[in-house]
Structure formats: structure tokens, C-alpha cells
Amino acid sequence: MAVYICRLVLSVGNKRRHNIRWLTTPSAGLDGDCLHMLKKAVSPLLEIPYTKQLQLKYIRSHVLLQQLAARLVDLEVECGECRTLDHMSNRGGVYCHVGNTKRSPVTERYRNKSDFSTGPGPDGNPKTVGYYVGDWKKKTVMCIPPTYAKNDKTDHIRVAEAYQSFLRLSPLRAMHDFQDGGHWRNILVRSNQLGQLMAVVTFHPQHLAEVKVQEVKDSLQEYFVQGEGRHCGLDSLYFQQSTRTRMSNEESQFELLHGCAHIYEKLFDLRFRISPSSFFQVNTPAAEVLYSTVKEMCEASASTTLIDVCCGTGTIGLVLAGEVKEVIGIEIVQQAVQDAVLNAEVNEIGNAKFLCGAAEKVLPKVVANLEDDFDVVMVVNPARAGLHPKVIKAIRNCTAVKRLIYVSCKPDGTAFNNFVDLCRPATERLRGPAFVASKAVPVDLFPHTNHCELVIQFER
């Protein structure tokens, strides 16, 4: 008996579309193959003991700081300054001290956010919900259900399975490519430690009439509220029409089809509101470890002004608000800023304000009002792409900022250039005194994966 694996192949010509090439393989071992591919895609370190995982992440952080040291030595030699060579030789070529990786309190079922895609599965069914595995360049991508994903919560997996059943009942096709004319796209599942669930379904309307789209929404609501999907127990069900890969609430509103508009999560002794698109760390117990580390590195006092760049729903700033004079948060996602403002109110925090806009536009205006004798500490927690060069310029040129804590989930990417620009000798563009990286600590928010948060303390 044979089973069929769907391989996606681009057709020749101006129009991109999916042609299906079926490859037959023996049925024996397919489940094992799928499990192996799933592990490799979402939890590649699963078979490695957790203590060893922590060591590997420490080594990677150590190597990255060595690379930063080498880069800065080159820059300083060119400028005729070698003031850090002796300092680095005492640290084995590392620019600053690197602490041991801090462990996550939980190592399985820790994700409070899961984004499941749709695509042809191992059996060729085009309405499979799960994770993409394979090689896009070789057109060997398929969608594997998350049944055996160890990092996803069981409730999240149950919602993905229910959504898959719904898709297979729907007369509308799933969308695998923006040129294939399909409709149903991914489902985002969020939860809190109390077990509340929020699901956000993304849908491409194509050329459907408004009345037809309303029928689609009604069918989705009926399925999860009264139909087979009711066993998921969704507390919130959202629907978003999206004609692009990602669209914000301002570009295409998240429509609440059922339940409460928000769920709330507890972090330390604070309560935070979570909306469909708000940023919140995916591992809540480990986030407390991360924010405790940030708090230690800030070394703030009652006279400190804390600037929280890329503040999301205000978590870092609000956690530290009791230690400082004032918190100023900057965030580009409007819904997240609204959540941050409400979070301050809910937690009765009166010394925090949040500004909406791109950091490269807002930050220069904020720092322009700061005096050099102010005690200013800055925390930056950008997305994987790191900080915009204009943000780095504003930070360097604001001499009031004496200490900066950089939290990076991808320190070997663009963020590495940020580190270099913070520490390099002054230039015409980066006029302020350079920072020095004084300490770094890896914090594991993503057990069984190669990812790790790296927290670096920079000082003038």
C-alpha cells in the first residue's frame, strides 16, 4: 500500500500557481519521518538533555561576544585607539563577561502563542493545519499537523485540529500561495496561565461579495461556538481579512466573532491585557526570569528615567516602574500601546506613559528633552531585525543615556551591527561617546530550539 506526499512545484510562465506532483513512498515509516521533520522544524534540540542545551546556548553567546570583540579591535586600531585590548585579553578575547544561561522554569508545553499554517499534508490533503516543513527552494514543503509538537500547549493543538476539521467541511479552498485563489489561511492561538484561549483566523476574501464573507464568518462562529469546535472552549474568536502576509489592526480590523475582546496574563504581581496582535513573550514563566535579569542590569534608582523602546504591551517598563522615577515607552503597534496604557491603569501605575510610533521617529523627540545630568537608563527589546540605524544614532547622540540594556532574540543577525555601532569610536553620524559592553547574560525562553534571548548591558 502506498501513501502520497504532496510536493509543491512552481509552474513555468508568468503566473505563479501550485501544481501538484505526487510522490509515492512506502507507508511504513511515514509517521516516523513526519515526526522527525516536525522535531527538526520546531524543536531541533529535543533529544539533547536540557542542561546540555543551556551549555550550547552559552557557547553561542560567548562566541558572538568574541566576534564583537574582534570587530571592535579592528575599528579601534584604525582609529589609533587600543584601549580595550588589555581588557579583552583578560577575558579570553571576549568584550565583556558572559554569564551562564539562565534556564526556563518550564521546558515543555510552554508556548502561550502558536501560529499554525495551512497547506498540503503528508497524505496530500490540501486542507491540513500545522507547521511547514521541507525546503522552499526545492519545492518540497508540506504541512505537518502539530500533534507531536512538544512546545505547544495541548489546548493549542486541539484548536488546530478543530480548525482543520472545519476547513475540510468548508466549500472554500485553503490558501497556500497569494496567487492560487484560495481563502482560508493560518490560525493564531493565544492563551494565558489560567487556560483561557484566544483564536484568530486569517482569511483572504479574494473577490467574494460582502454578503458571502458574512456567511463565512457566521459558519466559523457557529462551528466553534455551537458545532464540533465548541469542545475547544474558546474564550475569544477573531476573524481578520488579510490580502497580505501580515496586516495590522489599523490596516484590516480584527473582528471579534465570539467571546471577550481580550485575555489577561499575570506577570509577577501585575496583570497584562493581551490583544490579537500585541507582543507578549511566548514563555511567561521564563519571561519573569528575563525581566528579573533586565531589572538587575538596569541598576536603576528612584531618580532614574527609564526609556523602554519597542515596549509592546508595556511589560518591561511596568515591571520596573516601582524602581524608577518615570517610564517612557515607545511602540509602533497602536493596539499594543492601547494595551500598555490600560495595563498601567489596571495595575495603578501612575509614572508611566506610552508613545505610539516608529522608534526612529519618536525617540529623537524624546531624548531631545533630556538633560545631560538626568539619570537615564534605556531598555531596547526589538524584533529579530534589530533597531533601525536612526534609533542607534539617536541613542549615541543622547549623552543623557548612561546605561542601555539590549534584549535580543537574534543577536547574530542585524542586532550584531547595532552592538558594533553602539561601541564603535565616534563618527560624524554617531557623535556621542561610545558605549562599552560590560556584561551579558543568555536567558532561555525557547527550550528545545536554537533560539535564546541575549541580554547585554552597555555603559558609557
Side-chain angles (χ1 to χ4, degrees):
M1 181 177 179
V3 296
Y4 300 93
I5 296 181
C6 176
R7 171 174 278 183
L8 306 182
V9 183
L10 293 179
S11 63
V12 178
N14 294 327
K15 288 187 176 181
R16 294 179 69 242
R17 55 175 295 187
H18 285 305
N19 289 333
I20 306 299
R21 182 194 305 169
W22 303 101
L23 300 181
T24 60
T25 58
S27 57
L30 177 64
D31 289 342
D33 290 342
C34 287
L35 180 59
H36 174 73
M37 289 187 287
L38 182 66
K39 286 180 180 179
K40 186 177 180 181
V42 302
S43 51
L45 305 184
L46 185 61
E47 304 299 332
I48 299 176
Y50 188 54
T51 53
K52 182 65 174 179
Q53 294 181 34
L54 297 175
Q55 293 173 0
L56 290 174
K57 293 179 181 185
Y58 165 79
I59 292 172
R60 288 172 183 162
S61 300
H62 192 276
V63 169
L64 182 123
L65 269 298
Q66 284 182 317
Q67 294 170 344
L68 176 62
R71 176 73 175 129
L72 293 177
V73 166
D74 290 342
L75 289 172
E76 290 177 344
V77 168
E78 293 175 0
C79 296
E81 300 177 8
C82 300
R83 55 186 169 81
T84 63
L85 288 175
D86 291 339
H87 171 79
M88 286 185 288
S89 65
N90 293 330
R91 299 194 183 279
V94 180
Y95 194 54
C96 67
H97 173 74
V98 183
N100 292 328
T101 306
K102 293 190 176 182
R103 64 188 301 127
S104 170
V106 293
T107 58
E108 291 188 1
R109 311 295 183 197
Y110 59 83
R111 291 193 63 91
N112 57 40
K113 178 181 178 181
S114 302
D115 196 350
F116 301 113
S117 302
T118 60
D123 61 353
N125 194 312
K127 291 182 176 180
T128 301
V129 176
Y131 290 112
Y132 288 140
V133 301
D135 191 320
W136 287 100
K137 292 182 178 179
K138 296 180 180 179
K139 315 300 184 296
T140 58
V141 174
M142 62 179 171
C143 192
I144 294 184
T147 310
Y148 300 105
K150 295 293 187 179
N151 297 344
D152 288 306
K153 294 182 179 180
T154 303
D155 288 347
H156 292 205
I157 295 173
R158 187 179 298 117
V159 174
E161 292 171 344
Y163 183 54
Q164 177 175 284
S165 297
F166 170 78
L167 294 191
R168 293 181 178 183
L169 294 171
S170 172
L172 300 178
R173 292 191 294 124
M175 184 182 192
H176 311 140
D177 183 273
F178 279 91
Q179 305 299 324
D180 70 3
H183 294 277
W184 295 111
R185 295 180 55 201
N186 64 300
I187 183 169
L188 175 70
V189 185
R190 309 190 73 158
S191 64
N192 59 17
Q193 295 182 98
L194 295 176
Q196 292 178 307
L197 286 168
M198 172 187 290
V200 185
V201 172
T202 307
F203 181 86
H204 196 306
Q206 299 296 351
H207 303 293
L208 289 180
E210 191 171 325
V211 64
K212 292 294 184 182
V213 174
Q214 185 59 50
E215 291 176 0
V216 166
K217 291 187 284 187
D218 291 343
S219 67
L220 184 67
Q221 178 186 13
E222 193 280 333
Y223 178 83
F224 276 106
V225 178
Q226 300 173 332
E228 293 180 21
R230 68 183 182 278
H231 71 279
C232 295
L234 293 181
D235 296 277
S236 301
L237 175 60
Y238 276 95
F239 179 88
Q240 187 192 38
Q241 299 183 58
S242 180
T243 57
R244 299 202 302 272
T245 303
R246 300 281 182 185
M247 295 185 74
S248 67
N249 185 62
E250 291 73 33
E251 295 169 317
S252 180
Q253 187 175 5
F254 291 95
E255 302 176 59
L256 181 64
L257 301 184
H258 165 71
C260 52
H262 313 279
I263 59 176
Y264 289 82
E265 183 62 289
K266 184 178 180 182
L267 199 62
F268 297 105
D269 58 347
L270 302 179
R271 192 165 177 253
F272 291 92
R273 186 175 84 170
I274 299 176
S275 299
S277 62
S278 298
F279 173 78
F280 198 87
Q281 294 288 357
V282 300
N283 184 340
T284 303
E288 293 188 345
V289 178
L290 175 67
Y291 295 156
S292 294
T293 304
V294 172
K295 182 178 178 179
E296 292 171 5
M297 287 193 178
C298 281
E299 300 177 19
S301 69
S303 63
T304 298
T305 295
L306 178 70
I307 302 177
D308 185 4
V309 181
C310 308
C311 67
T313 56
T315 48
I316 293 179
L318 295 178
V319 165
L320 272 66
E323 311 288 326
V324 301
K325 175 184 177 182
E326 179 186 23
V327 173
I328 303 173
I330 301 172
E331 170 61 45
I332 193 172
V333 179
Q334 186 179 56
Q335 193 174 57
V337 173
Q338 293 170 354
D339 286 343
V341 171
L342 183 134
N343 288 333
E345 295 174 356
V346 167
N347 293 288
E348 300 181 348
I349 296 174
N351 64 336
K353 64 179 180 181
F354 299 93
L355 307 175
C356 186
E360 60 268 23
K361 296 180 180 179
V362 177
L363 184 59
K365 298 176 183 178
V366 171
V367 298
N369 297 321
L370 301 177
E371 302 293 338
D372 286 351
D373 59 350
F374 277 28
D375 176 15
V376 180
V377 175
M378 184 175 293
V379 176
V380 298
N381 184 18
R384 291 188 177 188
L387 292 175
H388 192 283
K390 290 183 179 179
V391 179
I392 297 295
K393 177 182 177 182
I395 295 171
R396 278 292 300 263
N397 296 345
C398 177
T399 55
V401 180
K402 303 298 192 300
R403 181 176 297 111
L404 181 145
I405 314 302
Y406 199 123
V407 183
S408 176
C409 58
K410 190 174 174 55
D412 57 346
T414 308
F416 184 83
N417 297 328
N418 293 163
F419 306 156
V420 173
D421 284 342
L422 287 170
C423 298
R424 70 190 308 156
T427 65
E428 183 176 349
R429 184 177 68 88
L430 305 172
R431 297 187 302 275
F435 286 88
V436 174
S438 50
K439 66 177 73 170
V441 178
V443 182
D444 188 22
L445 266 72
F446 319 100
H448 311 312
T449 77
N450 290 310
H451 303 293
C452 185
E453 297 277 356
L454 181 61
V455 187
I456 306 179
Q457 181 191 68
F458 292 94
E459 296 181 293
R460 294 283 189 183

